[in-house]
Structure formats: structure tokens, C-alpha cells
């Protein structure tokens, strides 16, 4: 089993910035794709960003169009922690942000759906005021 714990959410004004963290513990041997999703009230959980493996076996990141250029996902492998730096926040970014981790990851595959991830954190609230 793998446990994921998110932190760093909060309230910020439009145009502001926030950084989220997700620490993995438990049976984390092997590097698997980790991602951030978000869920706004009354909406489905949607993909935000992920860090995984390119077809050549190097680390790669990919983003939803809505956050591209504003959000950055990074990973500290030694701590098995993934971060999400969010800049230029807009009210539409308001949601509960969840960290997800796959059980097995293949090179060259981009995992962007909720069903692709086995392990989830409890979520952290991000609220952007207008």
C-alpha cells in the first residue's frame, strides 16, 4: 500500500501563487507516475499535471491545457514527494486538489484520467478569490 498526503492549499487572490506538496510513503519502491487532479463543486475530478516517463525512459511532465504555462509539477525523488507550483491563479482554479500515484507505469504513456491512478491523497482545498 502507498499513502499520499497533500499539503499547501489555502486562500489566495486572483493572480496570486500557491505551492502544493504531496508526500508518498509505504510501499513506494519503483518510480511511478504521479499526478495532480482537481475537483470543483459539482464537477468531475479532472487532470491537472503529471510527472512520468518518456518513451526513452527519461522523466517527463505534461499538463492540462487550462494550466499550461501557469502551473509547474516537480518531484524530489529522494523524498518521494511531488510538488505543484501554481502561478497566475484564477477563480476557475478553485477546487480540491488531489495527488494520485499509479501502481505500475509504462514508458511513453501519458496517464490523464482518474481511472489511471490507484492511490489517492485526501485532497487539499485551493480557493482563489476574485
Amino acid at each position: 500500500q502507498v499513502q499520499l498526503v497533500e499539503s499547501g492549499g489555502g486562500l489566495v487572490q486572483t493572480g496570486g501563487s500557491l505551492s502544493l506538496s504531496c508526500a508518498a510513503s509505504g510501499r513506494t519502491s519503483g518510480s511511478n507516475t504521479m499526478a495532480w487532479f482537481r475537483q470543483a463543486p459539482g464537477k468531475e475530478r479532472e487532470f491537472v499535471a503529471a510527472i512520468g516517463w518518456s518513451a526513452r525512459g527519461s522523466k517527463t511532465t505534461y499538463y492540462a491545457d487550462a494550466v499550461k504555462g501557469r502551473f509547474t509539477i516537480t518531484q524530489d525523488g529522494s523524498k518521494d514527494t511531488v510538488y505543484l507550483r501554481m502561478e497566475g491563479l484564477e477563480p476557475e482554479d478553485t477546487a480540491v486538489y488531489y495527488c494520485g500515484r499509479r501502481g505500475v507505469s509504462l514508458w511513453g504513456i501519458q496517464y490523464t484520467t482518474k481511472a489511471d491512478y490507484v492511490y489517492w491523497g485526501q485532497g487539499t482545498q485551493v480557493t482563489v478569490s476574485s
Side-chain angles (χ1 to χ4, degrees), residues 4 22 33-37 98-102 117 119-121:
L4 303 175
C22 172
T33 298
M34 293 184 70
W36 288 96
F37 282 69
Y98 295 92
C99 175
R101 182 182 173 106
R102 283 189 54 82
Y117 294 83
Y119 304 105
W120 293 95

Side-chain angles (χ1 to χ4, degrees), residues 52-64:
W53 300 95
S54 72
R56 296 187 175 186
S58 59
K59 279 285 187 179
T60 188
T61 58
Y62 41 100
Y63 301 87

